[in-house]
Amino acid sequence: MFFNKKLCQYFLHDKNIAKKIVNSISFKESKTIVEIGPGMGILTQYLLLNNKNIFLIEIDKKYVEYLKIKYPIIKNNIFNKNFLIWNPKDFFLDSFTLIGNFPYKISSQILFKIIKYREYIPECIGMFQKEVADRITSRNKSYGKLSVIMQAFYKIEYLFTVNNTVFIPKPKVKSAVVRMLKRKDNFLIKEDIFIKIVKTAFLYRRKKLYNSLKKLSLSSEFYKNPLLKKRVEQLSVNDFILLASF
C-alpha cells in the first residue's frame, strides 16, 4: 500500500464500516453506482454484491491498475480521472448513486460538483471530515453558506461517526458518513442568483441582509422583502429559497 500525501489519501481498512456505508445506499432511485476514490476497493467489493453496473473514478494511476486486476468484471468501467473535472456525460450516464470516502482537503469542491450535476445524482453516500458533515447537516455554530446551499438542493442525513482508528494512515480528525437525497420541491430555485445571495450574505454576516445584499443591485421588489431586515443567522434554508424567488 502506497500513500500520496498530496492527494490526502487515507484508506479505510475496517470491513464492518465498509459494509455499513454500502448498506446505507437505498438503490431506489438508481441502478448505477459511481464510486469516487476507491483506492484499494474496500467499498467496491461490497458494491459488487448488489450491482454490476458500477463505475470507479480514481485519480491515482497505480490504484487504477490494481483495481483492474482485482475486479476484472468491471475493468472497463475503471477510469483514471479527476472527479472535479469529470463530466457524467463522458460516460453517457443519466442517473446514478454517488458514493465515496472523499478526501478532506477538497470536500467543499466535491459538494459544489454534486450541486452542479445534481440532475444526474439523486443520491449520494459520502464520508467526510466530521466537521464538514456537521456543517452540512445541522444549524449549529458551523451553520454557513455550505449548509444553506447543500440543504437547499438535497435532504441530508447524518448517518454515523467514524473514528480515525479505522484508517491507514490514521488521520488526526474523525470522519462521518452522510446520505444526501435530491429534493424534488425546489425546482423553482434560480440557482445562480440563489448561490450569489447566500455567498454574499455570509460574506457580510455581521450586517443586516439589506445592507449586505444591496451590493447585488437586484430588483426593487427584492429589496422590499421583510426578510432583509434580519441578519443571516436568523434565516432558514427556506427563507433563502424565498429570497431567490423574487
Side-chain angles (χ1 to χ4, degrees), residues 143-155:
Y143 179 66
K145 64 182 180 182
L146 194 58
S147 318
V148 174
I149 292 171
M150 292 307 302
Q151 290 176 33
F153 295 104
Y154 282 88
K155 294 179 180 178

Side-chain angles (χ1 to χ4, degrees), residues 1 10-22 41-43 45-46 101 127 160-168:
M1 188 180 294
Y10 297 99
F11 293 95
L12 179 68
H13 65 79
D14 188 306
K15 292 183 178 180
N16 289 325
I17 296 293
K19 289 179 187 177
K20 194 173 180 181
I21 293 171
V22 171
I42 190 167
L43 296 184
Q45 61 185 316
Y46 300 112
N101 174 18
M127 180 148 60
F160 55 91
T161 302
V162 181
N163 289 320
N164 58 0
T165 54
V166 301
F167 295 95
I168 300 174

Side-chain angles (χ1 to χ4, degrees), residues 118 150-156 181-190 237-238 241-242 245:
R118 66 186 181 278
M150 292 307 302
Q151 290 176 33
F153 295 104
Y154 282 88
K155 294 179 180 178
I156 308 175
L181 297 173
K182 189 172 68 171
R183 290 179 59 169
K184 298 178 181 179
D185 58 349
N186 61 0
F187 56 92
L188 293 178
I189 294 180
K190 302 171 185 175
V237 174
N238 285 334
I241 293 173
L242 285 174
S245 67

Side-chain angles (χ1 to χ4, degrees), residues 28 44 54 65 72 74-75 96 100 125 130 167 182 205 215:
K28 294 176 183 177
T44 312
I54 296 171
E65 299 306 317
I74 57 167
K75 65 179 182 180
F96 58 89
I125 307 293
K130 186 178 183 299
F167 295 95
K182 189 172 68 171
R205 61 192 308 158
K215 306 173 186 296

Side-chain angles (χ1 to χ4, degrees), residues 130 133-134 137 156-162 175-179:
K130 186 178 183 299
D134 286 336
T137 55
I156 308 175
E157 181 183 0
Y158 188 109
L159 297 180
F160 55 91
T161 302
V162 181
S175 300
V177 177
V178 302
R179 177 167 50 223

